[in-house]
Amino acid sequence: MRPARLVMMVALFIATLGNLPLWRALAGLPELGNTRGVLFGIGFAAVILGALLLLLALFSWRWLLKPALTLCLLAAAAGAYFMLAYGIVIDRTMLVNVLLTDSREARELINWQMLASIALMGVLPALWVWRQRLAWPTWPRQALRNLGLALFGLALAVAALLATFQDFASVMRNHTQVRYLINPLNSFYALAILPQQPVQRSGQNVEPIGQDARLSNPAPDARPPLIIAVLGETARADHFGLNGYARDTTPRLGAEPGVASLRNVWSCGTNTAASVPCMFSPLGREAFNDRKANYEGLVDVLQRAGLAVLWIDNQPGGCKGVCDRVPRVNYRELQTPGLCQGDECLDEAMLKNLDERIAQLPPERRERGVVVFMHQMGSHGPAYYLRSPERLKRFTPECRNHALQQCQREQIVNAYDNTIAYTDAFLGMAIDWLKQRQDRYAPAMVYLSDHGESLGENNLYLHGLPYRIAPPEQKRVPWITWLSPAFSQQTRITSDCVAARRDQQLSHDHYFHSMLGLLGVQTALHQPGSDIYGSCRTP
């Protein structure tokens, strides 16, 4: 077989069967539900085919062609499965999320349906490719053939684009998610633009900030603050009973005096890798996305101001670099009988031995105040049922299949709501722990989730869609504050004032500045207009 013929066959296979998610999305557009829509689909397939031929012509050499075709087939198979199964799209943000996923998170996504799909769409065609015997000419002649293949692909793509340009422009303008479904070119493009922004996977090579940070002078008889700042995981605001959800998923917090819940808060991103470094940054979402370097964040500024800071992680994915310069506890160090199974622990394990962990912090810092960040496992999917203990499961039956699309939506929602109910119980445990230390400290608790989650609405599952096209379910997050009477008295910040902002539109952009205001940290970085707590401090 001539190499060009093999390239043509593989490219045609990918452009048609490998792009089933794209064809499904186009079929669902009302403006394409006619004969003109069918013709547009054929023209779109020709554009993809031409682009693939143009790309693969670059690799049509004796030792490169089969590996390149194999990579395309496997990338197309994997992309098609995840886009079909969970309704996701593939862009730079999703690729960063994949690169930062650890083995434990990846295991939850593996199921027999995924393996079968990748085997049929990727592995078997790749094996067929490797069995083909190719007739290779001399390299000058092959160079001419590659040039001819590239020119043919370019001509095909341009001709098809011109023939369907009016519809093509309309669809790309009105349905921007379509461009992220072109498989596997979406993955290759995301990989090509990956270096445009620094990826914050660790705390190395960061620029310092807040070097002028210091604490306000406390009153002579004031007790040092003790703050538990809970970083929630995959919690959406509209499934909290405190925020008006039909189910009472938050009975513990609802009965607790001093609790204020904000229900119109928007995340910085739609996945942990994007949201966590952003929400701990003073830059705000737009400036953070346009940054040219990585910088220190909130945790560093609090420590630089003289506070004792501790980070406890129940997330295998870690803190994405924001905690790398402060004392921290890895999720593997949380092993507690009855609360852990294998390498996964329930969130309440973070409260065990907490006094001993705090006692190991420098005493001169503890005298100024203690801030403990707790990174939850929370509502991390798709195995929601693993995130809540059997004793606290209130909503049944729940989905116990990692392939969410195989469960009824009611079962998915039940499993997810059980995780929210457990978060409510965990936050209640944290408040009880804080109350028991009021004789030495002025305690408070702040909870804010990193992003939300899709639970089958419009056939979307999990999270990670590009921010511009992501639904509110993936972006609207809960922000809950509990202030003890001692803390309110010392800081003159009341929970009633915070609760008055219940429906005000806020975002992760306010978190950095609000935490500085809550703790009385003074620095030129602090923006009073973005500080929801400082604005509630009475004269």
Side-chain angles (χ1 to χ4, degrees):
M1 184 186 298
R2 284 189 175 186
R5 183 182 176 191
L6 180 63
V7 169
M8 181 68 74
M9 295 173 71
V10 172
L12 186 60
F13 175 81
I14 294 175
T16 53
L17 295 179
N19 273 276
L20 287 178
L22 173 62
W23 310 135
R24 185 182 71 170
L26 292 179
L29 300 181
E31 63 266 39
L32 298 180
N34 49 38
T35 303
R36 182 170 178 171
V38 174
L39 296 176
F40 169 72
I42 295 173
F44 205 156
V47 172
I48 298 172
L49 176 60
L52 286 171
L53 293 177
L54 179 60
L55 174 65
L56 291 171
L58 302 175
F59 298 93
S60 293
W61 300 97
R62 184 183 296 270
W63 306 112
L64 289 179
L65 181 57
K66 289 185 178 181
L69 294 177
T70 300
L71 177 63
C72 287
L73 287 167
L74 293 178
Y81 168 75
F82 284 105
M83 288 189 288
L84 281 172
Y86 298 109
I88 68 167
V89 299
I90 299 176
D91 69 335
R92 181 189 181 277
T93 302
M94 183 61 70
L95 188 60
V96 170
N97 211 31
V98 171
L99 293 175
L100 298 184
T101 296
D102 79 318
S103 58
R104 195 175 89 179
E105 291 178 318
R107 284 199 303 269
E108 292 187 2
L109 295 171
I110 298 175
N111 55 70
W112 288 110
Q113 186 177 9
M114 183 200 79
L115 295 176
S117 177
I118 293 178
L120 288 174
M121 292 289 294
V123 176
L124 290 181
L127 290 176
W128 177 83
V129 165
W130 282 94
R131 289 178 59 88
Q132 303 311 305
R133 297 178 60 187
L134 300 179
W136 290 100
T138 60
W139 75 263
R141 179 170 295 183
Q142 184 61 34
L144 290 175
R145 291 180 178 179
N146 290 351
L147 178 61
L149 181 64
L151 292 175
F152 173 75
L154 178 62
L156 177 63
V158 170
L161 183 61
L162 291 175
T164 61
F165 184 77
Q166 185 176 358
D167 291 327
F168 194 89
S170 175
V171 168
M172 289 299 178
R173 181 176 61 251
N174 298 324
H175 307 281
T176 55
Q177 73 275 16
V178 168
R179 69 187 64 179
Y180 303 112
L181 295 173
I182 303 173
N183 196 26
L185 299 177
N186 48 4
S187 300
F188 298 155
Y189 178 74
L191 184 63
I193 66 171
L194 190 63
Q196 288 186 358
Q197 289 179 3
V199 177
Q200 190 151 335
R201 70 177 71 211
S202 71
Q204 299 177 350
N205 302 320
V206 296
E207 301 290 336
I209 63 170
Q211 294 179 306
D212 61 337
R214 62 182 181 87
L215 293 173
S216 302
N217 293 325
D221 58 344
R223 282 171 277 179
L226 173 60
I227 310 292
I228 289 183
V230 179
L231 174 57
E233 173 64 40
T234 322
R236 46 189 275 185
D238 62 346
H239 275 242
F240 276 63
L242 283 174
N243 296 333
Y245 186 42
R247 284 177 164 175
D248 187 10
T249 54
T250 53
R252 175 63 181 81
L253 293 174
E256 182 65 48
V259 168
S261 181
L262 307 173
R263 61 184 184 184
N264 192 19
V265 182
W266 297 81
S267 67
C268 197
T270 60
N271 60 72
T272 303
S275 279
V276 172
C278 179
M279 66 188 288
F280 279 78
S281 165
L283 298 176
R285 188 176 72 86
E286 293 185 4
F288 182 83
N289 289 335
D290 293 336
R291 74 196 188 284
K292 301 303 180 183
N294 287 325
Y295 299 90
E296 292 178 343
L298 172 65
V299 178
D300 304 281
V301 175
L302 297 182
Q303 181 165 259
R304 187 163 288 131
L307 294 165
V309 180
L310 175 65
W311 184 285
I312 303 179
D313 224 315
N314 195 29
Q315 263 282 345
C319 66
K320 311 306 178 188
V322 302
C323 69
D324 283 9
R325 293 161 298 279
V326 302
R328 59 189 186 275
V329 178
N330 187 279
Y331 74 97
R332 293 187 178 90
E333 303 173 57
L334 298 176
Q335 292 298 317
T336 304
L339 296 179
C340 301
Q341 185 174 0
D343 60 352
E344 178 167 339
C345 295
L346 294 170
D347 286 326
E348 61 192 276
M350 291 188 286
L351 293 168
K352 302 300 180 183
N353 304 316
L354 186 52
D355 283 307
E356 292 82 353
R357 301 188 197 280
I358 292 176
Q360 295 174 9
L361 301 175
E364 68 277 8
R365 289 182 174 274
R366 298 202 308 268
E367 292 175 0
R368 301 186 189 101
V370 179
V371 184
V372 180
F373 289 92
M374 294 185 173
H375 190 185
Q376 274 188 288
M377 194 62 179
S379 304
H380 196 286
Y384 305 123
Y385 70 97
L386 294 177
R387 312 282 111 89
S388 60
E390 292 294 335
R391 71 181 190 276
L392 294 178
K393 292 186 183 296
R394 302 173 54 200
F395 309 107
T396 57
E398 64 176 3
C399 175
R400 290 179 172 259
N401 192 332
H402 292 194
L404 295 178
Q405 66 275 16
Q406 299 300 312
C407 291
Q408 296 181 5
R409 186 168 184 274
E410 179 184 358
Q411 297 174 339
I412 298 173
V413 172
N414 285 343
Y416 183 83
D417 284 350
N418 282 331
T419 70
I420 301 299
Y422 178 59
T423 289
D424 170 72
F426 166 67
L427 296 180
M429 296 175 199
I431 292 173
D432 290 340
W433 185 91
L434 289 166
K435 287 179 178 178
Q436 295 170 11
R437 284 137 188 93
Q438 292 186 96
D439 58 329
R440 290 173 290 155
Y441 294 100
M445 188 273 297
V446 177
Y447 166 85
L448 178 60
S449 183
D450 59 351
H451 55 79
E453 186 87 328
S454 288
L455 300 173
E457 301 91 348
N458 300 312
N459 290 318
L460 295 177
Y461 297 91
L462 304 180
H463 53 266
L465 282 178
Y467 198 87
R468 289 179 301 170
I469 64 173
E473 293 82 7
Q474 295 188 24
K475 295 188 288 191
R476 197 155 67 93
V477 293
W479 188 340
I480 298 171
T481 306
W482 171 79
L483 305 177
S484 68
F487 189 90
S488 290
Q489 182 179 3
Q490 286 188 185
T491 62
R492 306 185 308 279
I493 300 173
T494 66
S495 57
D496 289 342
C497 178
V498 178
R501 310 184 72 165
R502 175 184 181 90
D503 294 310
Q504 180 181 346
Q505 184 167 331
L506 303 167
S507 72
H508 278 169
D509 292 0
H510 295 80
Y511 183 65
F512 178 94
H513 307 284
S514 298
M515 290 299 291
L516 294 184
L518 186 71
L519 288 157
V521 176
Q522 298 180 355
T523 169
L525 292 172
H526 182 236
Q527 298 177 10
S530 297
D531 178 0
I532 68 169
Y533 299 123
S535 61
C536 281
R537 194 185 299 271
T538 58

